[in-house]
Amino acid sequence: MIQSRAHLSAWNMSTGAAVPVSFTDTTTLNDSVGSYTGTIKVELNGTSATTTRNVTVFGANPQPFVSIAQNATLSLGTNPTNLFAKFQTVNSATSTNALYQFVNENGEAIDKFDTSTVGFHWAYVKMTEKADANVSTIIKV
């Protein structure tokens, strides 16, 4: 799972060409479901090197679509299952271990999602781990 979610990449510093990179081992930290130590292996010209890094798996999968009436309020509480189908916080797979806030495309906080105009619009939601405000992400819905 970490390999597919990490968007891990490496490149040759001389040519800029992509080189093979992968997680070869992961270990959970402090019995957490979202914090890992990962061993990363990079290969170039038959030689490989490894490094170990802390990895945090955190975020939510957006619902396939969200429909809301014009001028209605799009709610965003402690369990926003109206916007997200699956949650992953540092310590659990439940939504209530994070805080949620509407933001604009630049990540700046806004009071509410604007539903005054008809048509397709992206909503941006900042998800922040309750136990550590340094762990956050912005999800486009």
Side-chain angles (χ1 to χ4, degrees):
M1 178 182 82
I2 292 176
Q3 180 73 34
S4 65
R5 296 291 233 179
H7 307 292
L8 191 61
S9 61
W11 56 94
N12 182 318
M13 298 289 286
S14 299
T15 66
V19 296
V21 60
S22 62
F23 278 98
T24 59
D25 183 50
T26 58
T27 306
T28 60
L29 295 174
N30 303 322
D31 296 321
S32 170
V33 296
S35 293
Y36 301 86
T37 297
T39 302
I40 301 166
K41 179 180 177 182
V42 178
E43 298 178 45
L44 178 63
N45 299 328
T47 304
S48 65
T50 60
T51 185
T52 302
R53 295 287 186 259
N54 289 339
V55 178
T56 301
V57 177
F58 179 80
N61 293 348
Q63 292 285 4
F65 68 92
V66 176
S67 180
I68 185 146
Q70 185 177 8
N71 295 319
T73 300
L74 180 59
S75 63
L76 183 64
T78 58
N79 187 19
T81 55
N82 59 327
L83 298 177
F84 303 108
K86 184 177 178 184
F87 301 85
Q88 176 65 58
T89 64
V90 173
N91 293 311
S92 75
T94 61
S95 62
T96 55
N97 284 345
L99 302 171
Y100 305 89
Q101 179 179 32
F102 285 117
V103 295
N104 64 21
E105 57 275 356
N106 298 318
E108 300 160 339
I110 57 175
D111 292 331
K112 64 180 183 171
F113 180 72
D114 182 8
T115 61
S116 64
T117 56
V118 176
F120 176 83
H121 305 281
W122 287 111
Y124 297 88
V125 177
K126 182 176 182 181
M127 179 178 174
T128 305
E129 174 72 31
K130 280 185 179 178
D132 185 353
N134 293 316
V135 178
S136 69
T137 188
I138 296 175
I139 306 165
K140 187 162 80 169
V141 181

